[in-house]
Amino acid sequence: MINMTKKEYADYIKKKAPPSRHLRGIIMAWLVGGLICVAGQGLIDWAKTFGVSKEIAPTVAAMTLIAVAAVLTACRIYDNIAKWAGAGTLVPITGFANAMVAPAMEFKTEGHVAGLASKMFVIAGPVLVYGVLASAIYGVVLWVMKMV
């Protein structure tokens, strides 16, 4: 392999590399992400049938999706779904719940403070920081645009 040309090496890698499954991944992400969104809409409609106002129903649905994703992560089911479904499980609300619970579960043996509490934000921390920063920047931009 040391004396291979770039073309020979590229051909060698092409033979050894597993076949791409991009199309399958795209379809699964679309289907599973869509199903999660449909479930969220179903929860909103269901909450409204119980007299929940249309302003509060989306919050009820979001809280339910977060709770379900957290429980599935804690039971080690969500990761198996993610392996099968791919990026479809990254729908923001359920993916974020998974990102919060998974590290906490992994480090729970280190105790409540050093394990659960601190490791919970290993993945989600940057998302929170940049989310808050982006919202502040967008707020300032909108404020300046209103002034102009």
Side-chain angles (χ1 to χ4, degrees):
M1 270 202 274
I2 296 174
N3 296 328
M4 287 184 175
T5 66
K6 288 184 179 183
K7 183 178 179 349
E8 291 172 335
Y9 183 71
D11 292 340
Y12 173 77
I13 293 298
K14 193 172 186 179
K15 287 179 191 173
K16 296 291 184 180
S20 175
R21 297 180 2 180
H22 291 300
L23 182 61
R24 180 198 176 278
I26 291 168
I27 292 169
M28 292 307 297
W30 183 77
L31 286 173
V32 173
L35 283 173
I36 293 170
C37 293
V38 166
Q41 185 62 51
L43 287 168
I44 291 170
D45 296 341
W46 184 67
K48 288 179 188 176
T49 64
F50 285 98
V52 177
S53 70
K54 71 177 191 175
E55 290 82 18
I56 302 297
T59 303
V60 171
M63 290 173 22
T64 304
L65 287 172
I66 289 168
V68 168
V71 168
L72 290 175
T73 299
C75 294
R76 309 240 183 245
I77 296 171
Y78 197 89
D79 290 337
N80 292 331
I81 295 169
K83 286 177 189 171
W84 176 75
T89 56
L90 295 176
V91 172
I93 199 123
T94 56
F96 188 72
N98 176 260
M100 292 286 289
V101 176
M105 295 303 297
E106 185 176 339
F107 293 97
K108 69 181 177 184
T109 57
E110 294 181 22
H112 290 295
V113 174
L116 280 169
S118 65
K119 300 299 182 184
M120 190 179 301
F121 296 100
V122 168
I123 295 173
V127 174
L128 292 170
V129 168
Y130 289 109
V132 169
L133 180 63
S135 66
I137 291 170
Y138 296 147
V140 169
V141 168
L142 287 173
W143 178 72
V144 168
M145 287 174 62
K146 259 188 175 177
M147 300 294 280
V148 173

